[in-house]
Amino acid sequence: MERRKFITLGAAAGIAAASLPEIALAEMPAIDKKEKRYQKGISPWPVCLDTATIRPASLKDKVKIAAKAGYDAIEPWDGELQKFEAEGGNLKDLGKEIKDLGLFVPSVIGLWNALPPTKELWDASLKDTRNRMRMAAAIGAEHIQTIPNTVGENYSQKWIADRYRDILEIGINEFNILPALVFVKYFPVKTLGQATGIAMDANHPRAMIIPDVYHMYISEGGFEAIKMLRGESIAIFQFNDAPASPALAELKDEHRVYPGDGILPLEQIFKDLKGTGFKGCISLEMYNPVYWKGDLQNVADTGLRKTLEILKKAGV
């Protein structure tokens, strides 16, 4: 894969433009600044609800809650798709219902155990990988998250990159779905930089990553690297906020809070994301058990309202 898909060339382009004579600049065609916007023009991106945010609800109720709250999209998990199907539900019918309610599915979470460290384990993993892709494709998902939970602590980057490339080929050719790579502090691939490196080394034109602001924070990788990315390399962008306490080293997934209720620089993060040219979904993802005890429609409503408040302040 050409590295420029992942790394922006904006700075170089700016220098080149600065060196052109004024007459050449005057003759350059005007850039069409019109862009599709969402949420009554507030957001440059569709806003998605990760179903973990309202986990206790049934899958069909989650779809209805997201639609009623006014989200543009919904991001379900493989386990709930499997449960829905096991209980007699038809995933293609569910996909139609999602669409009829005005939503779409940018991503499904995800391909667990799909990047093991040996050929024997890899061969054994493919049955489950294909089944998860099948379920995601049935509801019309654009992407499925490839989760590096079994790569091993001393993983070979070449081996994992090659297997991710294989997963891309399976997804594209067999299911018309694009697998994208995630990073999680609690797994061996912990940072945005590590995930981006693997995706780049996959040497595939459709390789993509899924940043998550929470894991960028708790893995201590920071947020400056967002400016180095090109939007076309990002499948979906997951966000939430992180509280000031407990201490950074003690933060768990359960500590995620509403946007604006924590200390993450979300306004700047969204500005930097806009600068990459990203056109996909931003997805609100929280696993907070305190929220799960409340009215789940109110949780979804509040999450969207607080997200739009941040986007307004960011001026994107």
Side-chain angles (χ1 to χ4, degrees):
M1 162 165 294
E2 294 184 356
R3 287 178 178 258
R4 65 183 179 183
K5 174 178 177 182
F6 285 89
I7 307 300
T8 181
L9 299 179
I15 293 171
S19 66
L20 292 173
E22 289 187 14
I23 183 66
L25 289 174
E27 293 173 354
M28 291 177 67
I31 297 173
D32 184 3
K33 295 184 178 180
K34 292 182 180 178
E35 63 175 357
K36 186 174 181 179
R37 296 187 68 87
Y38 302 85
Q39 298 294 322
K40 299 180 179 179
I42 295 172
S43 176
W45 311 289
V47 182
C48 177
L49 180 67
D50 183 311
T51 57
T53 303
I54 51 173
R55 181 166 287 171
S58 70
L59 181 54
K60 291 198 74 168
D61 283 346
K62 287 170 181 171
V63 173
K64 293 174 183 175
I65 288 170
K68 184 178 179 180
Y71 288 86
D72 301 292
I74 189 165
E75 186 179 22
W77 289 56
D78 67 297
E80 54 195 354
L81 297 182
Q82 186 175 23
K83 181 175 185 289
F84 180 81
E85 200 170 43
E87 293 175 349
N90 184 294
L91 291 175
K92 288 188 177 180
D93 288 346
L94 178 64
K96 183 179 183 302
E97 182 177 343
I98 290 170
K99 186 176 180 180
D100 289 346
L101 287 171
L103 303 170
F104 68 98
V105 183
S107 170
V108 165
I109 307 165
L111 298 180
W112 302 92
N113 312 320
L115 293 170
T118 68
K119 184 179 186 305
E120 181 182 10
L121 292 173
W122 161 257
D123 290 341
S125 73
L126 289 176
K127 180 180 178 181
D128 286 341
T129 291
R130 283 188 165 95
N131 187 51
R132 290 182 171 110
M133 289 185 183
R134 175 193 63 80
M135 292 189 297
I139 62 169
E142 299 172 1
H143 301 279
I144 188 165
Q145 298 194 18
T146 306
I147 304 166
N149 60 316
T150 55
V151 298
E153 289 299 329
N154 298 310
Y155 64 87
S156 162
Q157 181 153 320
K158 176 172 173 48
W159 167 264
I160 298 303
D162 288 349
R163 299 295 73 76
Y164 172 50
R165 184 176 65 241
D166 291 340
I167 286 172
L168 277 162
E169 287 294 305
I170 293 171
I172 293 167
N173 295 324
E174 298 182 24
F175 301 97
N176 193 31
I177 194 170
L178 279 171
L181 189 66
V182 299
F183 58 96
V184 178
K185 182 207 172 171
Y186 315 119
F187 299 152
V189 180
K190 302 178 184 299
T191 69
L192 174 62
Q194 289 171 329
T196 302
I198 291 170
M200 292 174 72
D201 286 348
N203 193 34
H204 194 287
R206 306 302 297 277
M208 303 180 84
I209 55 171
I210 299 180
D212 179 325
V213 299
Y214 195 76
H215 285 292
M216 293 175 77
Y217 176 61
I218 65 175
S219 68
E220 301 185 67
F223 306 107
E224 287 298 311
I226 294 173
K227 299 172 185 175
M228 299 176 67
L229 296 175
R230 289 175 62 96
E232 65 190 57
S233 70
I234 303 171
I236 187 171
F237 191 86
Q238 294 181 309
F239 72 100
N240 40 64
D241 213 332
S245 62
L248 179 59
E250 299 172 5
L251 285 175
K252 307 292 183 186
D253 270 332
E254 66 195 49
H255 295 120
R256 298 178 188 229
V257 294
Y258 289 117
D261 286 3
I263 60 172
L264 298 187
L266 291 177
E267 293 176 38
Q268 187 60 50
I269 288 170
F270 283 141
K271 289 177 182 178
D272 293 340
L273 181 64
K274 181 72 180 300
T276 70
F278 176 62
K279 301 296 184 184
C281 261
I282 58 172
S283 184
L284 178 62
E285 180 183 55
M286 298 183 294
Y287 313 130
N288 195 315
V290 175
Y291 299 158
W292 295 340
K293 294 176 182 177
D295 178 89
L296 297 177
Q297 184 66 60
N298 183 61
V299 171
D301 294 346
T302 303
L304 182 57
R305 175 177 58 80
K306 286 180 173 286
T307 296
L308 297 181
E309 289 173 357
I310 295 292
L311 289 170
K312 285 180 181 177
K313 291 178 181 177
V316 293

